[in-house]
């Protein structure tokens, strides 16, 4: 809900950094990425790109924001038709792309392909390229998730321009940018109308909603207990290990000196680049 939570989620940054690096390395045959190197579990070094201020949100299943819109009676999202008689967490026949504006501040806003072109946000040929790459990236992510017993449900991609070429920016296929279901038992739970077992930050959003917070004016972020914070950390680590098939090694650092540590790593990295 575009709010900073009141408690630190330990190791969340490391999980996101290492998960994103893992996937960015895995898609370089599809599109150039901003990532150059990951010299530390908490640090990535990459190319500076000019952002294209449209997020390419791609959805394989009717869930989250799409379901909330559908449940309210809407049958179009960002100009894309959604069939009647679908249940929450049902798959779409084909993944749908539901873009949003990438706000400099405040909330991102749903937008249709026609509005993007007519509003001059992105040139038609560039937008078509972004659509094609988003679908290719999503197919790769779904394939990799299936191999690990997961379903990549939906995600978003951000693109930018560097040296006149389209680059993939930001994090990809992380629990902050993506939603995963467990493959085992998915259909059985769906047939019974049960909630899906998932790995993503959606459970934090649901917890906030249950505690009467949706980021609206006058609402207060609920108190987060230590037990809840520890549970969130565990869920993030679980996703990293599940999707990468690697053991998560906690990078123990003194929080009071983290900026100094990161700056030293970056200085060393830039010196290496200059020497080369």
């Amino acid at each position: 809900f575009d709010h900073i939570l009141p408690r630190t989620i330990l190791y969340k940054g490391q999980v996101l950094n290492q998960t994103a690096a893992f996937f960015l390395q895995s898609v370089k045959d599809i599109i150039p990425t901003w990532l150059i190197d990951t010299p530390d579990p908490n640090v990535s070094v990459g190319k500076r790109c000019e952002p294209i201020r449209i997020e390419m949100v791609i959805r394989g299943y009717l869930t989250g924001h799409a379901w909330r819109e559908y449940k309210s009676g809407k049958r179009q999202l960002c100009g894309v038709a959604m069939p009647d008689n679908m249940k929450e967490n049902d798959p779409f026949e084909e993944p749908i792309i539901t873009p949003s504006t990438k706000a400099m501040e405040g909330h991102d806003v749903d937008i249709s392909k026609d509005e993007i072109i007519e509003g001059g946000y992105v040139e038609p040929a560039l937008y078509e390229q972004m659509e094609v790459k988003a679908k290719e990236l999503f197919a790769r992510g779904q394939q990799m998730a299936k191999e690990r017993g997961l379903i990549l449900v939906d995600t978003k991609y951000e693109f930018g321009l560097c040296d006149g070429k389209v680059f993939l920016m930001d994090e990809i296929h992380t629990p902050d940018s993506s939603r995963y279901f467990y493959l085992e038992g998915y259909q059985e739970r769906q047939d019974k109308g049960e909630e899906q077992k998932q790995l993503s930050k959606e459970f934090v959003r649901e917890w906030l909603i249950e505690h009467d917070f949706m980021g609206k004016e006058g609402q207060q972020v609920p108190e987060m207990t230590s037990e809840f914070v520890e549970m969130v950390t565990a869920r993030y680590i679980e996703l990293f290990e599940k999707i990468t098939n690697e053991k998560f090694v906690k990078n123990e650092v003194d929080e009071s000196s983290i900026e100094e540590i990161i700056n030293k790593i970056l200085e060393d990295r830039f010196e290496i680049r200059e020497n080369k």
Side-chain angles (χ1 to χ4, degrees):
F1 300 117
D2 295 323
H3 277 69
I4 297 173
L5 298 181
R7 296 282 299 274
T8 297
I9 307 301
L10 292 178
Y11 306 107
K12 177 172 178 280
Q14 182 186 346
V15 166
L16 297 180
N17 192 55
Q18 291 190 263
T19 305
F22 174 82
F23 280 111
L24 286 165
Q25 294 290 351
S26 75
V27 299
K28 287 189 172 181
D29 61 318
I30 296 176
I31 187 173
T33 79
W34 69 274
L35 184 67
I36 295 173
D37 192 17
T38 310
D40 180 87
N42 281 54
V43 178
S44 289
V45 178
K47 294 178 179 292
R48 181 183 294 276
C49 303
E50 178 187 349
I52 299 168
R53 299 210 168 274
I54 294 293
E55 285 192 355
M56 299 299 283
V57 180
I58 183 165
R59 306 176 186 276
Y61 294 73
L62 180 63
T63 191
H65 172 60
W67 168 247
R68 288 189 283 272
E69 294 290 286
Y70 192 93
K71 187 169 62 172
S72 74
K74 295 181 181 178
R75 290 297 179 268
Q76 276 203 349
L77 184 61
C78 302
V80 180
M82 297 183 289
D84 288 324
N85 303 317
M86 291 186 71
K87 303 192 306 291
E88 183 178 11
N89 302 327
D90 275 352
F92 291 111
E93 186 173 335
E94 294 288 341
I96 63 172
I97 293 179
T98 58
S100 68
T101 59
K102 183 61 180 172
M104 295 293 288
E105 58 183 48
H107 296 278
D108 297 341
V109 178
D110 289 344
I111 189 170
S112 70
K113 177 179 179 178
D114 288 343
E115 290 171 330
I116 290 170
I117 303 303
E118 292 169 5
Y121 290 88
V122 180
E123 290 295 321
L126 178 55
Y127 182 81
E128 293 294 340
Q129 186 178 355
M130 290 165 60
E131 267 203 346
V132 168
K133 293 302 178 184
K135 291 177 181 177
E136 291 178 357
L137 291 165
F138 192 60
R140 176 68 56 83
Q142 287 194 310
Q143 173 193 341
M144 295 178 71
K146 186 176 181 180
E147 291 169 358
R148 300 299 180 202
L150 295 172
I151 299 171
L152 177 58
V153 175
D154 54 36
T155 190
K156 59 92 176 174
Y157 302 111
E158 297 186 36
F159 298 97
L161 298 175
C162 182
D163 300 327
K165 297 181 179 179
V166 176
F167 274 65
L168 179 62
M169 293 174 51
D170 201 52
E171 58 185 328
I172 68 163
H173 301 162
T174 71
D176 270 22
S177 66
S178 312
R179 190 191 323 268
Y180 291 89
F181 291 158
Y182 283 86
L183 179 58
E184 183 178 0
Y186 162 79
Q187 193 58 55
E188 182 181 354
R189 284 187 286 272
Q190 200 63 9
D191 292 342
K192 292 180 178 179
E194 297 176 350
E195 291 185 6
Q196 289 297 329
K197 186 180 178 185
Q198 64 172 288
L199 279 173
S200 73
K201 71 173 182 181
E202 179 67 17
F203 72 95
V204 178
R205 188 181 291 112
E206 290 172 350
W207 180 85
L208 291 169
I209 292 172
E210 288 172 5
H211 289 77
D212 301 318
F213 181 80
M214 295 183 66
K216 296 180 180 178
E217 187 175 349
Q219 293 182 336
Q220 296 294 319
V221 179
E223 180 182 354
M224 298 174 66
T225 65
S226 295
E227 291 76 15
F228 180 72
V229 170
E230 290 169 5
M231 185 267 286
V232 176
T233 291
R235 293 283 290 271
Y236 272 86
I237 292 174
E238 181 186 2
L239 175 61
F240 172 84
E241 294 184 336
K242 183 75 174 175
I243 196 63
T244 66
N245 201 32
E246 297 177 2
K247 181 68 177 176
F248 184 78
V249 179
K250 295 177 180 178
N251 188 29
E252 304 286 359
V253 294
D254 181 355
E255 286 190 45
S256 65
S257 60
I258 186 66
E259 288 190 23
E260 180 182 342
I261 294 169
I262 289 175
N263 286 334
K264 179 65 167 61
I265 291 168
L266 292 175
E267 287 172 6
D268 291 345
R269 174 62 182 165
F270 288 134
E271 286 175 3
I272 290 171
R273 288 180 63 191
E274 288 170 0
N275 290 339
K276 286 184 178 180

